[in-house]
Amino acid sequence: MSDLSQNILFEHPLNEKVRTWLRIEFLLQQLQNSHSLTGLPNTLGFFRCISELLDIIDRGDVRTELVKELERQQQKLMQWIDVPGVDVERLNALRHSLKDMSNVLLAAPRLGQALKEDRLIAMVRQRLSIPGGCCSFDMPILHMWLHAPKQERDKQVSDWVETMEPLNNALNACLDLIRQSGHFQKQTSLNGFYQDNAEDCDILRIRVDSAHQLYPQVSGHKTRFAIRFMPFDSELGETPERFSFDIACC
């Protein structure tokens, strides 16, 4: 069995900013895989995903935080410019790419505004909180849209998703650089417990062998964290006295 199939990667945010970013990433990934809606079940999943994404964006200034992070990453890259052996050309290319993403994000319309102003999305959002509220008799407009030519629907869905590209590109760049800043190290928990310091870190990445049938419950913040490994089967499962896992503080 390959290493990829044996290991499960868990991620845990160490501050509220990254907690929000990981949730947005989770929703954007679902949108990126929903370009072709073939029926009511995955269509409702698509609209529910948009609704949750807009709710999260409304709770804070996501654009400002991402621009700050893009600038911070550019400054970190500048610290490597005089280090012997560094590929300066590649470093500068990455810096310029981050700067371009920042400019595009700043120039883009208000995040999610185009989706909020869409009549169909707005009507579906209003009904999603009602159990079964998107039945054909409750939402004939949605029922009619589902019977439009597939090519037209696919184009409209693609246009909706495309409005989030500035956010998606900037977020992916920030999270990729954060993740790459940490390296996995082998650690051992005692009786299912492990704790350590996490000074100036944003994400914990925990890699667990699936054969152990254990998952991590993490409590922590930007300076310290604790992990309790729990058995998947809470009644019959057991946590070994000593348990090895890989962890990266990013």
Side-chain angles (χ1 to χ4, degrees):
M1 187 179 294
S2 68
D3 180 70
L4 182 63
S5 62
Q6 288 181 343
N7 291 289
I8 304 174
L9 178 63
F10 298 89
E11 292 189 328
H12 186 84
L14 293 174
N15 54 61
E16 195 59 34
K17 173 188 70 178
V18 175
R19 185 184 303 276
T20 298
W21 289 356
L22 290 177
R23 285 174 173 162
I24 292 175
E25 179 192 46
F26 171 70
L27 293 170
L28 286 174
Q29 287 174 346
Q30 294 178 61
L31 287 185
Q32 295 296 325
N33 293 320
S34 301
H35 280 226
S36 182
L37 304 180
T38 56
L40 185 59
N42 66 346
T43 297
L44 287 181
F46 174 79
F47 283 112
R48 185 169 285 108
C49 186
I50 284 182
S51 181
E52 292 178 4
L53 180 61
L54 293 177
D55 287 343
I56 292 178
I57 291 174
D58 282 344
R59 293 173 190 166
D61 196 345
V62 176
R63 188 205 308 254
T64 298
E65 291 294 337
L66 281 173
V67 169
K68 288 180 180 178
E69 182 64 24
L70 289 168
E71 293 174 352
R72 185 174 78 94
Q73 292 295 341
Q74 291 176 63
Q75 293 171 2
K76 289 177 66 175
L77 291 173
M78 280 295 296
Q79 298 173 6
W80 290 88
I81 204 76
D82 295 323
V83 175
V86 168
D87 188 338
V88 176
E89 184 176 345
R90 183 178 180 185
L91 194 67
N92 285 330
L94 180 54
R95 285 178 49 237
H96 290 313
S97 176
L98 295 178
K99 186 176 181 179
D100 289 343
M101 288 180 192
S102 180
N103 291 335
V104 170
L105 190 60
L106 285 170
R110 184 178 176 184
L111 295 180
Q113 192 62 33
L115 299 178
K116 287 182 183 179
E117 293 175 352
D118 186 273
R119 179 168 172 258
L120 180 59
I121 291 176
M123 294 180 70
V124 174
R125 287 186 74 194
Q126 291 177 351
R127 305 295 303 182
L128 285 174
S129 61
I130 302 172
C134 291
C135 284
S136 60
F137 60 83
D138 281 318
M139 285 219 63
I141 187 173
L142 177 62
H143 189 65
M144 184 174 181
W145 184 79
L146 284 169
H147 285 78
K150 184 176 182 301
Q151 185 176 0
E152 292 180 13
R153 288 187 285 114
D154 289 350
K155 175 63 167 60
Q156 191 166 10
V157 169
S158 181
D159 290 343
W160 286 335
V161 173
E162 189 176 341
T163 65
M164 303 308 295
E165 277 303 295
L167 170 61
N168 188 52
N169 293 336
L171 182 65
N172 284 340
C174 288
L175 289 177
D176 283 348
L177 288 169
I178 290 173
R179 286 169 172 137
Q180 292 173 24
S181 69
H183 302 284
F184 282 102
Q185 296 180 340
K186 184 75 69 177
Q187 299 292 350
T188 302
S189 70
L190 298 178
N191 296 315
F193 183 76
Y194 178 83
Q195 64 179 356
D196 202 351
N197 297 322
E199 195 69 37
D200 296 325
C201 291
D202 292 304
I203 301 175
L204 283 182
R205 310 187 78 205
I206 305 162
R207 200 160 56 195
V208 179
D209 190 328
S210 60
H212 294 288
Q213 289 292 283
L214 297 172
Y215 65 91
Q217 284 189 340
V218 183
S219 59
H221 47 77
K222 61 182 179 180
T223 59
R224 192 164 183 80
F225 66 89
I227 304 173
R228 175 72 67 181
F229 287 97
M230 307 294 293
F232 180 74
D233 187 336
S234 59
E235 295 184 359
L236 301 177
E238 296 182 355
T239 302
E241 182 179 348
R242 300 180 69 86
F243 168 67
S244 294
F245 61 98
D246 298 317
I247 186 169
C249 297
C250 307

